[in-house]
Amino acid sequence: MVRLQLLPRTEHDRVREAGGEPDLTLSLLADMCRLNALVAVKRAGSGHLGSTFSSLDVVVHLLFSELDVAELGFEHPDRDVFFSSKGHDVPGLYAALFGLGVLPAERLLRLRRLGGLDGHPDVGVPGIEANSGSLGMGISKGRGIAWAKRHAGLAGRVVVMTGDGELQEGQNWEALQAAAHERLGRLWVVVDRNELQSDKPTEEILALRGLESKLEAFGWDVATCDGHDHTALRGVFEAFRNGAPDIPKALVAHTVKGSGVSFMEHPAALAEGGGTYRWHAGAPGDDAFERAFAELEDRIRAGFAALGLDPPVFEPVGSEERARGLEGEPESGAGLRPKVTDEYVVQAYGEALVELAQRNQELVVLDADLASDCRIRAFELAFPDRFVECGIAEQDMVSTAAGLARHGYLPVVNSFAAFLASRANEQIYNQASEGTKVVYALHYAGLIPAGPGKSHQSLRDVSLLGALPGTLIVQPGNAEETAALLRWAVEDADGNVALRLAIGPSPRRVELPDGYRPEPGRGTVLRDGRDGVLLAYGPVMLHEALRAAEELDVQGLDLRVVDMPWLNRFDPEWIAAEVAPYEHVFVLEDHAPVGALGDGIRRELEGRAVEVFGVEGWPACGSPAEALRFHGLDGASLAARIAARVRVHSAR
Amino acid sequence: MVRLQLLPRTEHDRVREAGGEPDLTLSLLADMCRLNALVAVKRAGSGHLGSTFSSLDVVVHLLFSELDVAELGFEHPDRDVFFSSKGHDVPGLYAALFGLGVLPAERLLRLRRLGGLDGHPDVGVPGIEANSGSLGMGISKGRGIAWAKRHAGLAGRVVVMTGDGELQEGQNWEALQAAAHERLGRLWVVVDRNELQSDKPTEEILALRGLESKLEAFGWDVATCDGHDHTALRGVFEAFRNGAPDIPKALVAHTVKGSGVSFMEHPAALAEGGGTYRWHAGAPGDDAFERAFAELEDRIRAGFAALGLDPPVFEPVGSEERARGLEGEPESGAGLRPKVTDEYVVQAYGEALVELAQRNQELVVLDADLASDCRIRAFELAFPDRFVECGIAEQDMVSTAAGLARHGYLPVVNSFAAFLASRANEQIYNQASEGTKVVYALHYAGLIPAGPGKSHQSLRDVSLLGALPGTLIVQPGNAEETAALLRWAVEDADGNVALRLAIGPSPRRVELPDGYRPEPGRGTVLRDGRDGVLLAYGPVMLHEALRAAEELDVQGLDLRVVDMPWLNRFDPEWIAAEVAPYEHVFVLEDHAPVGALGDGIRRELEGRAVEVFGVEGWPACGSPAEALRFHGLDGASLAARIAARVRVHSAR
């Protein structure tokens, strides 16, 4: 276990008050924020360091120097408003807000934990001006805020940070055009032009070539500079302040992904990674963490010396276990690292895709810059000519798939469920209306992992596709079922299939009968029982369902558990027979309680009472155990809820 | 009743075979298509003439001269593919396909009728290559098709027509960037640059200034020409053919909206309309029709003469009544023009909005270029500084509203339900996650009018918002309830409200008690009855519900009818008491049977059987009566369905 330490707020104050050369001061503050963000991410076990580091000089320059919000406070109506549209760079913003005294250390140390700091920006956190995490909405929001300030006669600029890959989302161009039309000169956009998307160069994924000329063509005043050079940044912002009051302004800030830690900086890291960048997401291992920390520490010590200050004083951070104990977590370690298997259903998906493509020449795979997470890199390598990289542009991806499907191909479309089923919903509807067949792989479906927060957790996707004629929605419970359902979707299904997939490791290996083959509309009994039947789907919830059954067993209650991968299709005879013996029918959703399996069963079994356990309200951000417990969906909570229901009933 | 006549296919053949000067021939053919499209729209009672006429020279030039598809046929894998992304210009395309012999006269004369031609393009119709009608998807589809052709080693260009206002949709820019990146040189885009959106100039709604430079910045080879000048068109297409094989090509074709009929041409029509253009949608009245017909006829006669041909022979078209009789329609006239009132709930909405804005200074209204249809023009005139025109960019509109709401405003966001609830779904989710309040006015919700077809009919919007925490969905049944629910949404509701609104005239005035005030979660009894209770919402379905009750009354069955405007919120006591006396609980949805009121009632009344009548499958295109009957949702069909259920049950 590495020793963790932070630079406390007081050290930032010392630096700010040293009266040193402004640019040296800002560079030093940015490195201090890098170090604290690194510690927060390491402690959280996940987070995006690459673009946190690329954007941090700009963020620090804005918050500590250019904007008035540190002075006026985040509630002042005349304040300058700053936020990042890409959102995954938020550890840097948190570190800056910590350095300014807006966030306390306790909160920074609870990044991605329940009651701590959301994995992506949320306005519930002090200093956060807008929810983001799903890409491409920021400039639109900024234009709304700029409009509001102008209309209300208030002062303040609105500065929106965007990624460069993010500009592939079409909504940006809607907003850029509209802001120019409305002459919102107080709206500034800073593009963190680090030239990398998740893990590959922007120019390789989907070239932005001539970004400046695009922005100019859309009516913006455009500047470029080195986004790590504070003198240059100061010059650009001064020019913006003195520029045309009715023309919005964009800075293309050329940055280095991973800036500030030599081996995370993208030219070096790309070379080392053979063309892919490995520091986009995820916490570094202990060794990498220590090397990164040491580099930053050295530079920070030198910076303090250069400013004539006494050496910086670091504050040790309690070990994870200790901190968690203090927070009242019941099981040591279970919060952050639940016991899991090495099964990833998404890995099985990626492998099955390659196998199926060998005998289905018309199978093509579409990606929206999530190839690694969606485990379709192996397909890309095996069949580069049947891999269509669409960049971060889900709508274009779906309508492109529609065109492919009309002309003889079978597209398998990939993105996170939260983005694909919602942002491209109308495009999916339009494709389906042409009567073609597309397989939609809805990755990262459900509540877990809960660290990234509500922009990424997908608890609505079944409801978003449920009223679409002829579209079947399935979610496999283990690797074997994943391969089988994908094969069924590709080779047997008549129309669209939406395949929900968990993204994390399976918490247990769900056992299916030997030679299992999916039968449309029928589930598989995982465990028999006489006191009630619980239908669930997906590795996460099946595990909790089985844990609940195990817990109930101890209490003398006997729960039947059924893996039901068909979320909107039922074999009428099977489902009727399945529930007939039971007074109590329970459904466990990895979804909101509205619009998913429970509603479908109620429709199918007209007049049958079905108790649904789903994710009520906004999904919690935290460790898997925290989030499941928060929603009453962990095995123990479920057991208690089921026992209460069964016993109350028996007692009547 | 005006006399209708077509120019039959044979007349087109005569012109094509005359061997005249090619440009004269094409101009004449375009006018012939204009005339036939005019007749089809007049007969249909609706359709979009303005952009049909602006685009027709290009369409005719492509189909009759430049492309090979008329020769090869629409199934040939090597064919050139042409389609229009904007889709509402399809009457012109139908007329051209009729002139080529691809569509028979019987079908052209059943525009927007059941079994005829869809109001927006549908691949079920011969010659239609892609479904469109919802804007901004075409270039993406074209890129998919171009990719497919290249990958399969097939010949053929892919030519996509877009509107100019349509380019406000961000998806276009996703696709433009992707096509350039993929070097799809065989993909051509023709922008019908008629400079008008629905009813106002593009430069006024949301300026495209410098469209050519935008397209160039996105990596396309760009040409411009007069889109009515066949010599110029020929020159551009020839240059495209000989251009760089790996660069996609865009033609900005400068056209005149309404071109070919003097008083419909936009410079004249805008002047006459005091700045708004009235020929975007809807069939002309008899007088305007006859004037337009006469102008076209004169020019066509002159064209025949100039080619040295005998005068054109027109073919009379049976009167509507006669034609309908032949098609087996039961009630004369009822199909096209059902008996309706002069009540428009959307008019009441527009008026209430103005009234509410007088006492709510923070109320702002956002529009996505549907201000006339959404009846918010009065608001725009009364409060121009609180009216935010967003152009055709629903995603930007919603995120802009999110920014406004965060800064003290109460945004009322307007578009058609089919576009707003689906295309901007993720943006609505993101806004809601910030805990602010926005009112979403979902116009044109439900099945009727059914003429525009499935791109416009919204049968999924309740399901699309149903799993969104804290969002209430309501649909008023008459003008009074519309004003009351809007007032409640603006002044009383705590969070987001989605207000579904019918767009057409109410088929009857639903009577509510004097001094009616909406009570959250409670409906209003419109008619008492002892044999069953039917809950419905919205003027269209309440009318059918009441008709069903009237019909059942004759049969000796007594149906209670309840107006239930709260689609996902229930007062538990009220709903329990409402259904308690009845063995049969029926719900009539103006929505798919999945994800709307019926599902909500089943969730609320756990274990109660609820029979739901909803729009199953893809919504039918046709007259209101045709569509309702097709789905078994007209009063008579409902009465039969209810009677069967009640009687079977009684007989047991």
Side-chain angles (χ1 to χ4, degrees):
Chain A
M1 175 62 64
V2 295
R3 235 183 78 240
L4 300 181
Q5 43 188 357
L6 282 184
L7 279 164
R9 185 216 167 158
T10 45
E11 294 301 288
H12 299 73
D13 291 345
R14 274 215 291 145
V15 169
R16 293 170 72 192
E17 289 156 11
E21 200 275 314
D23 293 355
L24 280 184
T25 305
L26 290 169
S27 286
L28 175 56
L29 285 167
D31 274 338
M32 293 167 72
C33 290
R34 282 190 179 90
L35 182 138
N36 283 347
L38 173 71
V39 171
V41 166
K42 176 63 178 164
R43 215 176 124 86
S46 62
H48 296 80
L49 287 175
S51 75
T52 288
F53 287 179
S54 68
S55 64
L56 248 173
D57 282 297
V58 171
V59 171
V60 164
H61 193 101
L62 288 168
L63 288 181
F64 285 80
S65 167
E66 176 65 24
L67 305 182
D68 63 12
V69 67
E71 214 173 312
L72 294 183
F74 285 88
E75 299 301 323
H76 198 292
D78 285 314
R79 73 185 182 280
D80 294 324
V81 169
F82 167 72
F83 63 92
S84 169
S85 178
K86 55 181 163 145
H88 53 257
D89 56 1
V90 76
L93 178 55
Y94 290 148
L97 292 170
F98 168 69
L100 287 168
V102 177
L103 291 176
E106 301 71 50
R107 210 143 178 200
L108 184 63
L109 294 173
R110 285 188 64 77
L111 175 63
R112 296 183 168 229
R113 300 295 305 280
L114 193 64
L117 295 175
D118 293 73
H120 287 86
D122 187 281
V123 294
V125 172
I128 298 297
E129 298 275 11
N131 286 17
S132 56
S134 177
L135 299 172
M137 302 183 194
I139 307 178
S140 299
K141 284 193 182 186
R143 118 171 153 94
I145 297 170
W147 190 100
K149 280 181 170 290
R150 183 171 69 185
H151 190 263
L154 296 169
R157 289 158 287 176
V158 183
V159 184
V160 181
M161 165 90 76
T162 75
D164 48 1
E166 180 182 13
L167 294 178
Q168 290 156 359
E169 285 286 5
Q171 185 180 351
N172 292 295
W173 303 96
E174 297 178 354
L176 288 162
Q177 180 147 303
H181 181 78
E182 288 186 341
R183 317 188 79 72
L184 293 169
R186 69 171 86 202
L187 178 62
W188 299 2
V189 164
V190 181
V191 182
D192 180 21
R193 182 78 167 115
N194 61 29
E195 298 182 10
L196 244 72
Q197 321 224 169
S198 335
D199 52 11
K200 282 197 178 180
T202 308
E203 299 312 288
E204 192 176 316
I205 293 286
L206 195 64
L208 290 169
R209 284 178 305 184
L211 176 56
E212 291 81 355
S213 64
K214 287 177 181 171
L215 294 167
E216 275 162 10
F218 273 71
W220 285 55
D221 277 347
V222 182
T224 62
C225 76
D226 177 344
H228 303 301
D229 177 340
H230 290 277
T231 308
L233 288 169
R234 178 169 293 108
V236 168
F237 293 141
E238 188 180 345
F240 279 5
R241 266 184 269 122
N242 299 325
D246 58 351
I247 300 179
K249 288 147 198 84
L251 165 62
V252 178
H254 290 281
T255 60
V256 172
K257 199 155 176 173
S259 171
V261 172
S262 60
F263 63 89
M264 291 184 179
E265 294 192 348
H266 76 254
L270 272 180
E272 198 195 316
T276 54
Y277 180 81
R278 59 176 284 211
W279 306 104
H280 175 70
D286 289 352
D287 175 59
F289 169 79
E290 286 184 339
R291 284 192 291 140
F293 190 93
E295 266 194 39
L296 289 166
E297 182 181 354
D298 286 352
R299 216 164 47 245
I300 289 164
R301 287 187 183 280
F304 270 70
L307 289 179
L309 293 170
D310 288 342
V313 179
F314 291 80
E315 197 164 274
V317 171
S319 78
E320 288 179 34
E321 279 67 21
R322 176 119 186 284
R324 205 171 314 111
L326 289 171
E327 300 283 342
E329 294 263 330
E331 301 159 75
S332 174
L336 276 179
R337 297 190 189 84
K339 220 175 135 192
V340 293
T341 68
D342 59 359
E343 177 190 85
Y344 284 80
V345 295
V346 64
Q347 180 65 26
Y349 162 82
E351 288 163 10
L353 209 48
V354 170
E355 194 193 317
L356 289 165
Q358 277 153 3
R359 55 177 189 266
N360 298 274
Q361 295 304 316
E362 73 283 6
L363 192 156
V364 293
V365 169
L366 290 87
D367 173 45
D369 191 32
L370 288 169
S372 297
D373 287 329
C374 299
R375 307 291 176 105
I376 48 180
R377 205 60 98 193
F379 182 98
E380 182 186 6
L381 293 171
F383 304 100
D385 72 310
R386 284 195 271 155
F387 182 82
V388 184
E389 177 56 69
C390 299
I392 308 171
E394 297 77 13
Q395 304 188 56
D396 180 51
M397 174 168 63
V398 169
S399 296
T400 296
L404 292 169
R406 278 274 301 161
H407 286 256
Y409 288 86
L410 173 59
V412 180
V413 173
N414 295 269
S415 186
F416 286 175
F419 313 148
L420 183 52
S422 63
R423 189 178 286 234
N425 191 282
E426 197 185 10
Q427 286 75 15
I428 295 174
Y429 174 83
N430 174 280
Q431 171 273 316
S433 79
E434 293 183 338
T436 55
K437 171 176 164 180
V438 171
V439 176
Y440 292 100
L442 304 175
H443 295 266
Y444 190 171
L447 181 67
I448 304 299
K454 60 178 84 70
S455 60
H456 284 57
Q457 293 158 293
S458 186
L459 287 319
R460 302 191 304 131
D461 51 286
V462 182
S463 68
L464 293 176
L465 300 176
L468 196 59
T471 293
L472 284 176
I473 310 165
V474 297
Q475 179 165 5
N478 69 6
E480 189 185 350
E481 194 168 53
T482 301
L485 283 172
L486 178 64
R487 179 180 170 161
W488 173 85
V490 166
E491 299 190 340
D492 299 333
D494 291 331
N496 280 357
V497 177
L499 179 66
R500 294 187 104 215
L501 292 169
I503 199 170
S506 301
R508 83 167 70 189
R509 284 180 182 275
V510 169
E511 297 292 334
L512 292 173
D514 282 350
Y516 168 78
R517 288 198 54 165
E519 291 181 72
R522 293 178 171 230
T524 303
V525 179
L526 300 181
R527 179 195 165 104
D528 202 3
R530 65 177 180 277
D531 294 317
V533 57
L534 172 61
L535 295 99
Y537 51 92
V540 171
M541 292 304 174
L542 285 172
H543 173 60
E544 302 304 331
L546 290 166
R547 272 174 50 159
E550 288 148 12
E551 172 82 26
L552 288 166
D553 193 35
V554 175
Q555 301 176 28
L557 288 176
D558 204 10
L559 184 71
R560 183 175 170 103
V561 176
V562 178
D563 168 21
M564 182 54 183
W566 306 90
L567 304 188
N568 67 340
R569 176 166 172 173
F570 308 96
D571 179 318
E573 285 179 29
W574 175 84
I575 186 82
E578 187 56 40
V579 304
Y582 299 98
E583 190 154 10
H584 299 283
V585 179
F586 302 99
V587 170
L588 174 56
E589 309 272 12
D590 200 359
H591 192 276
V594 170
L597 178 61
D599 278 359
I601 292 182
R602 288 196 190 99
R603 269 193 304 275
E604 185 66 31
L605 300 174
E606 196 58 77
R608 193 59 230 246
V610 177
E611 180 147 3
V612 173
F613 306 116
V615 178
E616 307 263 357
W618 296 100
C621 174
S623 68
E626 285 172 340
L628 287 161
R629 202 160 49 233
F630 178 85
H631 290 287
L633 300 177
D634 61 302
S637 302
L638 285 171
R641 294 169 80 178
I642 290 169
R645 181 74 178 229
V646 173
R647 291 210 172 103
V648 162
H649 201 271
S650 309
R652 276 211 303 257
Chain B
M1 178 60 65
V2 294
R3 234 183 78 240
L4 300 181
Q5 44 188 355
L6 283 183
L7 280 163
R9 185 214 167 158
T10 45
E11 294 302 287
H12 299 72
D13 291 345
R14 274 217 289 144
V15 170
R16 293 169 72 190
E17 289 155 11
E21 199 275 314
D23 293 355
L24 280 183
T25 305
L26 290 169
S27 285
L28 174 56
L29 285 166
D31 274 337
M32 293 167 73
C33 290
R34 283 189 179 90
L35 183 138
N36 283 347
L38 173 72
V39 170
V41 166
K42 176 64 178 166
R43 212 176 127 88
S46 62
H48 296 79
L49 287 176
S51 76
T52 288
F53 287 179
S54 67
S55 65
L56 248 172
D57 282 298
V58 171
V59 171
V60 163
H61 193 101
L62 287 168
L63 288 181
F64 285 81
S65 168
E66 175 65 25
L67 305 182
D68 63 12
V69 67
E71 213 173 312
L72 293 184
F74 286 88
E75 300 300 322
H76 198 292
D78 285 314
R79 73 186 182 278
D80 295 324
V81 170
F82 167 72
F83 63 92
S84 170
S85 178
K86 55 181 163 145
H88 53 257
D89 55 2
V90 77
L93 178 55
Y94 289 149
L97 293 170
F98 168 69
L100 287 167
V102 177
L103 291 176
E106 301 70 50
R107 212 145 175 200
L108 184 63
L109 294 173
R110 285 187 63 78
L111 175 62
R112 295 183 167 229
R113 301 294 304 279
L114 193 65
L117 296 174
D118 294 72
H120 287 86
D122 188 280
V123 295
V125 173
I128 299 297
E129 297 274 12
N131 286 15
S132 57
S134 178
L135 300 172
M137 301 183 194
I139 306 178
S140 300
K141 285 194 183 185
R143 117 171 154 93
I145 298 170
W147 190 100
K149 280 181 170 291
R150 183 171 68 186
H151 189 264
L154 296 169
R157 289 159 288 177
V158 183
V159 184
V160 181
M161 164 90 77
T162 76
D164 47 1
E166 180 182 13
L167 294 178
Q168 291 157 357
E169 286 287 5
Q171 186 180 350
N172 291 294
W173 302 96
E174 297 177 355
L176 287 162
Q177 181 146 303
H181 181 79
E182 288 185 342
R183 316 189 80 72
L184 293 168
R186 68 171 88 202
L187 178 61
W188 299 3
V189 164
V190 181
V191 182
D192 180 21
R193 181 78 168 115
N194 61 27
E195 298 182 9
L196 245 71
Q197 321 223 170
S198 327
D199 52 12
K200 282 197 179 181
T202 307
E203 298 313 287
E204 193 176 315
I205 294 286
L206 196 64
L208 290 170
R209 286 176 306 183
L211 177 56
E212 291 82 355
S213 65
K214 288 178 182 170
L215 294 167
E216 276 162 8
F218 273 71
W220 285 56
D221 277 346
V222 182
T224 62
C225 77
D226 176 345
H228 303 300
D229 176 341
H230 289 278
T231 307
L233 289 169
R234 177 169 294 106
V236 168
F237 293 140
E238 188 179 346
F240 280 4
R241 266 183 269 121
N242 298 325
D246 58 352
I247 301 179
K249 287 146 198 85
L251 166 61
V252 178
H254 290 279
T255 60
V256 172
K257 199 153 176 173
S259 171
V261 172
S262 59
F263 62 92
M264 290 183 181
E265 295 191 347
H266 76 255
L270 271 181
E272 197 194 316
T276 55
Y277 181 80
R278 59 175 285 209
W279 306 104
H280 175 70
D286 289 353
D287 174 60
F289 170 79
E290 285 183 339
R291 284 192 292 142
F293 190 93
E295 266 193 39
L296 290 166
E297 183 181 354
D298 285 353
R299 215 163 48 245
I300 290 163
R301 287 188 184 280
F304 271 71
L307 289 179
L309 294 170
D310 289 341
V313 180
F314 290 80
E315 197 163 273
V317 171
S319 78
E320 289 179 32
E321 279 68 20
R322 177 120 186 285
R324 204 170 314 111
L326 289 172
E327 300 284 341
E329 294 264 330
E331 303 159 73
S332 173
L336 275 180
R337 296 190 189 84
K339 219 174 136 194
V340 294
T341 69
D342 59 0
E343 178 190 84
Y344 283 80
V345 296
V346 65
Q347 179 65 27
Y349 163 81
E351 288 163 10
L353 209 48
V354 171
E355 195 193 316
L356 290 165
Q358 277 154 2
R359 55 176 190 266
N360 298 276
Q361 295 305 315
E362 73 283 7
L363 193 156
V364 294
V365 169
L366 289 88
D367 173 45
D369 192 32
L370 288 169
S372 296
D373 287 329
C374 299
R375 306 291 177 105
I376 48 179
R377 205 60 98 193
F379 182 98
E380 182 186 6
L381 294 171
F383 304 101
D385 72 309
R386 285 195 270 155
F387 182 82
V388 185
E389 177 55 70
C390 299
I392 307 170
E394 297 76 15
Q395 303 193 355
D396 179 51
M397 174 167 64
V398 169
S399 296
T400 296
L404 292 169
R406 279 274 301 161
H407 286 256
Y409 288 85
L410 173 59
V412 181
V413 173
N414 295 269
S415 186
F416 286 175
F419 312 148
L420 182 53
S422 63
R423 188 179 288 234
N425 191 282
E426 197 186 10
Q427 286 75 14
I428 295 174
Y429 175 83
N430 174 280
Q431 172 273 316
S433 79
E434 293 184 337
T436 55
K437 172 175 163 180
V438 171
V439 176
Y440 292 99
L442 305 175
H443 295 266
Y444 190 171
L447 181 67
I448 304 300
K454 61 178 82 70
S455 60
H456 283 58
Q457 293 158 292
S458 184
L459 288 318
R460 300 191 306 131
D461 51 286
V462 181
S463 68
L464 293 176
L465 300 177
L468 195 59
T471 294
L472 284 176
I473 310 165
V474 296
Q475 180 166 4
N478 69 6
E480 189 186 350
E481 194 168 52
T482 301
L485 283 173
L486 179 62
R487 179 178 170 163
W488 174 85
V490 167
E491 299 189 341
D492 299 333
D494 291 331
N496 280 357
V497 178
L499 179 67
R500 295 187 104 214
L501 292 168
I503 200 170
S506 301
R508 84 166 69 189
R509 284 181 180 274
V510 170
E511 297 291 334
L512 292 172
D514 281 349
Y516 169 78
R517 290 198 54 167
E519 291 181 72
R522 292 179 170 229
T524 302
V525 179
L526 300 182
R527 179 194 165 105
D528 202 4
R530 65 175 182 277
D531 293 318
V533 58
L534 172 61
L535 295 98
Y537 50 92
V540 171
M541 290 305 173
L542 285 172
H543 173 60
E544 301 305 331
L546 290 166
R547 273 175 48 160
E550 288 149 12
E551 173 83 25
L552 288 167
D553 193 35
V554 175
Q555 300 176 29
L557 288 175
D558 203 10
L559 185 70
R560 183 174 169 105
V561 176
V562 177
D563 168 21
M564 182 54 183
W566 305 90
L567 304 187
N568 68 338
R569 175 166 173 173
F570 307 97
D571 177 318
E573 285 179 28
W574 175 84
I575 186 81
E578 186 55 40
V579 304
Y582 299 99
E583 191 153 10
H584 300 283
V585 178
F586 302 100
V587 169
L588 174 56
E589 309 272 12
D590 199 358
H591 193 275
V594 170
L597 179 62
D599 278 0
I601 291 180
R602 288 195 189 100
R603 268 194 303 275
E604 185 66 31
L605 301 174
E606 195 58 76
R608 199 50 235 246
V610 177
E611 181 146 3
V612 173
F613 306 116
V615 178
E616 306 262 358
W618 296 99
C621 174
S623 69
E626 284 172 341
L628 286 162
R629 202 159 51 234
F630 178 85
H631 289 287
L633 299 177
D634 61 302
S637 302
L638 285 171
R641 294 169 80 179
I642 291 169
R645 181 73 177 230
V646 173
R647 291 208 171 103
V648 162
H649 201 270
S650 309
R652 277 212 304 258

